[in-house]
Amino acid sequence: IVHLESENATQIVPSPDGEWVAFAERYHAYVMPFPKAGRTVRIGPGTNAYPVARISRDAGMYLHWSHDGSRATQDGPSRWRVHWTLGPEYFTRDLAGSFAWLGGAGGTADADEAPAPEAEGVDISFTATGDAPDGAIALNGARVITMAGTGWTPPGGWQPEAGSHQAETASDIPTVIEDGVVVIRRNRIVAVGRAGEVDVPGDAEVLDVSGKTIIPGLVDVHAHVGGESAGILAEASWPLMANLAYGVTTAHDPSNDTETVFSNIELLKAGKKLGPRLWSTGTILYGAEGGGSIRAVVENYEDAMAHLRRMQAVGAFSVKSYNQRRRDSRQMIIKAARELGMQVHPEGGALLYSNMTMVHDGHTGVEHALSVPEIYEDVQQLFATSSTGYTPTILVAYGGIWGENWFYQHYDVWENEQLLAFTPRDQVDARSRRRMLVPDDDFNHIRVAEGAKTIADAGGLVNLGAHGQLQGLGVHWELWTFEQGGMTPLEALAVGTINGARYIAMDEHIGSLEPGKLADLVILDANPLDDITHTDDIDMVMLDGRLYDAATLNEVAPRQRERLPLPWERWRTGLR
């Protein structure tokens, strides 16, 4: 027999004595008496037939009951305790503190005086050492495109606030250095300049990269990197590795499973997994009906604060406001984010007027292409005079054939050995072998790229987001579309590096090759300033001071070690 059912609950847990039940629905945790009706009972926060108490202020995960048999006398109320977690905190609630009519700790005799939900728990966090190599490396003889002094700058008089884009400090490092030297100690850049003008430490491992070009690591601010399922995380993740092999050293994923992505983020930070430095919004704040169990209802400001607090608790510095149909709900999310020092990335949704309210209201950015490719001066100036960025995701641009299809039409993608080294063949073949044949003037994505160029020319912040269409290589395709829209190679590189760093407020640490910044860079075999499509001619990638061979992702400096095999590589070698 089915005792209990719920339309939106994600967890239903009876107490050990069968007298009570705890359940989680739309992020909040609740308790109620276990109804013994002899038939299936539908439960939920709005249940009227039985008393229901909300026990979590913000959210409750992993609900479970005490196992110590702690109860009152035989004639008294059950005193089982229910526990749950949120991020680094462990919460406990005694049943007598959940219903006023039970009395006892936290309760009262007044049935109308409901005890407040739990807001503070016990800190169960721990500290782990982040991965950083020892020693120093000097890259000698390459052309160095530092990206210093390029990209977006804030509009006049605008001052950055917590959680917003941070304006990079002025630098005297040239944008392009011929015969350059980059010196790295541990995971930071300590010197950049021309050969003979930079002091190379005596203990540095000197690598000759003459004839090559070094650029900053690529920053993908709309990167759906996917993730494992069923709560089991792989030691080696092909989407993460494919991105790193193609020079993506930073990714911001604006929609992913909260538990999976933040677990992967911590593994990446600790060096237990190979992939770009990763940030994410976690699960989206979906506002429309039909969102089911993940719907994030925002009826008032406290609702907004609860959602932002619970996401911050698990490690997010940004949230994705998705299909919050009421404008005041979106505004309350923004206000809560400003109070907590967080960012708000909305889903564009192909509605131009709605997009404009997103800019007016002060969202961090507009994600996805504007639905109207012809961008006139009013929209250009609106972006230019605001701090709101624009991430057009041109590979999946609205209004016509996706930009992704242009590349399948013009390249034999299924023969790309670098791609196939890190991407399952079925993923590649299904997308690339049966391609369309479309005249170039029928591809709408070029018009979208031209619109992005006009916004950038007016002073707006334009960023690269490849939408996870083809992990790693898709970032380069997205980058190349900006040149199709009229940008110079240097302007396109700014979109893919320093602009993205500023967009996610990380340009103090990434986005350009300057002393003090993290050692994220890409060593190319050709000069992308001559031809932007040279960005995927990758020899080596450095992430956080570790240098990897792009063809294999084996580490080559400061130590030599092979990476873990991917599943299909294990099968080929007989490993299990």
Side-chain angles (χ1 to χ4, degrees):
I1 182 173
V2 177
H3 295 281
L4 305 173
E5 66 179 9
S6 170
E7 184 176 0
N8 295 304
T10 53
Q11 193 177 13
I12 301 176
V13 186
S15 64
D17 62 356
E19 296 295 323
W20 304 87
V21 63
F23 64 96
E25 178 165 326
R26 288 179 172 168
Y27 309 106
H28 292 303
Y30 303 85
V31 291
M32 62 178 288
F34 195 117
K36 297 178 174 61
R39 58 181 176 80
T40 300
V41 175
R42 172 163 290 197
I43 63 173
T47 299
N48 294 320
Y50 307 93
V52 178
R54 186 172 125 190
I55 58 177
S56 65
R57 182 190 67 173
D58 296 331
M61 301 175 66
Y62 309 112
L63 290 169
H64 58 287
W65 293 84
S66 59
H67 292 283
D68 61 2
S70 172
R71 285 186 281 184
T73 62
Q74 186 173 3
D75 296 331
S78 174
R79 291 290 299 278
W80 292 106
R81 291 170 296 165
V82 63
H83 309 279
W84 67 95
T85 65
L86 176 60
E89 288 189 285
Y90 186 77
F91 295 83
T92 299
R93 182 78 161 199
D94 193 300
L95 277 178
S98 301
F99 296 101
W101 42 269
L102 285 178
T108 70
D110 185 353
D112 295 327
E113 188 177 333
E118 299 293 333
E120 295 183 7
V122 176
D123 186 353
I124 58 171
S125 65
F126 62 91
T127 300
T129 302
D131 180 55
D134 294 321
I137 297 174
L139 303 173
N140 188 44
R143 174 185 301 104
V144 182
I145 305 174
T146 68
M147 300 311 297
T150 67
W152 178 82
T153 55
W158 176 78
Q159 296 296 320
E161 58 182 289
S164 63
H165 325 295
Q166 306 296 309
E168 188 182 64
T169 56
S171 172
D172 58 1
I173 302 293
T175 301
V176 181
I177 302 172
E178 300 291 343
D179 191 17
V181 177
V182 181
V183 180
I184 298 102
R185 182 168 294 281
R186 299 203 74 201
N187 64 342
R188 294 274 177 179
I189 298 169
V190 296
V192 181
R194 294 181 178 85
E197 299 178 0
V198 174
D199 291 330
V200 177
D203 65 337
E205 178 181 358
V206 180
L207 301 178
D208 185 3
V209 287
S210 300
K212 300 186 184 296
T213 299
I214 300 176
I215 63 173
L218 297 174
V219 180
D220 185 349
V221 302
H222 193 115
H224 295 301
V225 298
E228 302 86 343
S229 61
I232 300 174
L233 301 182
E235 292 181 293
S237 166
W238 72 261
L240 295 175
M241 291 168 63
N243 276 287
L244 182 59
Y246 274 96
V248 181
T249 55
T250 296
H252 179 261
D253 191 330
S255 176
N256 204 319
D257 174 71
T258 293
E259 294 172 82
T260 300
V261 74
F262 288 106
S263 297
N264 272 331
I265 286 171
E266 292 184 357
L267 290 170
L268 289 165
K269 287 180 179 179
K272 304 296 185 182
K273 202 162 186 173
L274 187 57
R277 64 179 75 255
L278 180 62
W279 289 290
S280 179
T281 64
T283 302
I284 58 178
L285 304 186
Y286 192 87
E289 292 291 345
S293 62
I294 71 164
R295 186 182 177 208
V297 178
V298 180
E299 296 289 350
N300 52 55
Y301 184 59
E302 180 53 33
D303 287 343
M305 281 295 294
H307 288 303
L308 273 289
R309 283 192 300 252
R310 69 175 173 82
M311 293 312 304
Q312 192 174 65
V314 297
F317 71 79
S318 59
V319 295
K320 180 70 171 283
S321 177
Y322 198 121
N323 272 356
Q324 292 289 340
R325 307 311 297 167
R326 287 168 36 188
R327 186 176 181 182
D328 66 330
S329 296
R330 301 196 297 270
Q331 291 170 335
M332 286 185 280
I333 291 172
I334 294 170
K335 185 176 186 296
R338 287 175 176 166
E339 182 170 334
L340 296 174
M342 299 180 72
Q343 296 186 346
V344 181
H345 299 255
E347 180 76 2
L351 298 169
L352 181 64
Y353 296 127
S354 179
N355 294 156
M356 295 303 96
T357 69
M358 293 172 182
V359 182
H360 278 290
D361 291 343
H363 285 83
T364 303
V366 172
E367 305 283 308
H368 288 298
L370 300 176
S371 56
V372 179
E374 295 290 339
I375 307 300
Y376 293 106
E377 188 174 357
D378 55 348
V379 174
Q380 297 168 20
Q381 291 302 314
L382 179 59
F383 275 101
T385 54
S386 75
S387 62
T388 300
Y390 177 40
T391 309
T393 58
I394 299 171
L395 293 187
V396 293
Y398 301 121
I401 301 171
W402 284 5
E404 178 184 11
N405 292 293
W406 188 95
F407 293 96
Y408 292 133
Q409 178 172 313
H410 288 79
Y411 293 90
D412 295 337
V413 178
W414 67 90
E415 297 179 352
N416 189 316
E417 294 182 4
Q418 168 78 348
L419 179 67
L420 290 170
F422 300 101
T423 309
R425 175 166 281 283
D426 61 348
Q427 295 277 332
V428 177
D429 286 352
R431 290 173 173 268
S432 65
R433 292 185 71 94
R434 297 180 179 180
R435 49 193 176 178
M436 299 185 296
L437 182 61
V438 181
D440 277 0
D441 62 3
D442 201 21
F443 277 98
N444 183 65
H445 78 280
I446 297 176
R447 298 176 66 208
V448 173
E450 291 170 345
K453 160 74 169 168
T454 67
I455 289 175
D457 287 346
L461 173 58
V462 177
N463 321 287
L464 182 150
H467 200 253
Q469 292 307 112
L470 194 61
Q471 302 291 346
L473 180 56
V475 172
H476 294 269
W477 292 355
E478 184 79 13
L479 185 65
W480 302 347
T481 63
F482 288 103
E483 192 194 43
Q484 288 182 318
M487 288 190 183
T488 67
L490 187 64
E491 289 171 336
L493 282 173
V495 168
T497 56
I498 189 62
N499 278 13
R502 288 174 180 155
Y503 182 58
I504 58 174
M506 294 295 171
D507 57 299
E508 183 181 348
H509 302 286
I510 61 173
S512 63
L513 303 178
E514 300 182 74
K517 292 199 174 186
L518 291 166
D520 294 356
L521 54 85
V522 185
I523 301 175
L524 305 174
D525 286 324
N527 184 4
L529 298 182
D530 293 336
D531 183 343
I532 193 64
T533 63
H534 288 327
T535 60
D536 75 340
D537 295 336
I538 302 173
D539 181 27
M540 290 182 283
V541 179
M542 177 174 281
L543 171 66
D544 226 19
R546 296 194 184 278
L547 192 62
Y548 300 92
D549 177 2
T552 64
L553 279 188
N554 294 329
E555 185 180 341
V556 297
R559 62 179 178 179
Q560 296 185 352
R561 60 173 174 171
E562 293 186 359
R563 62 165 172 83
L564 292 173
L566 288 162
W568 60 87
E569 295 171 322
R570 296 176 66 90
W571 300 331
R572 290 172 188 163
T573 59
L575 294 172
R576 292 293 185 268

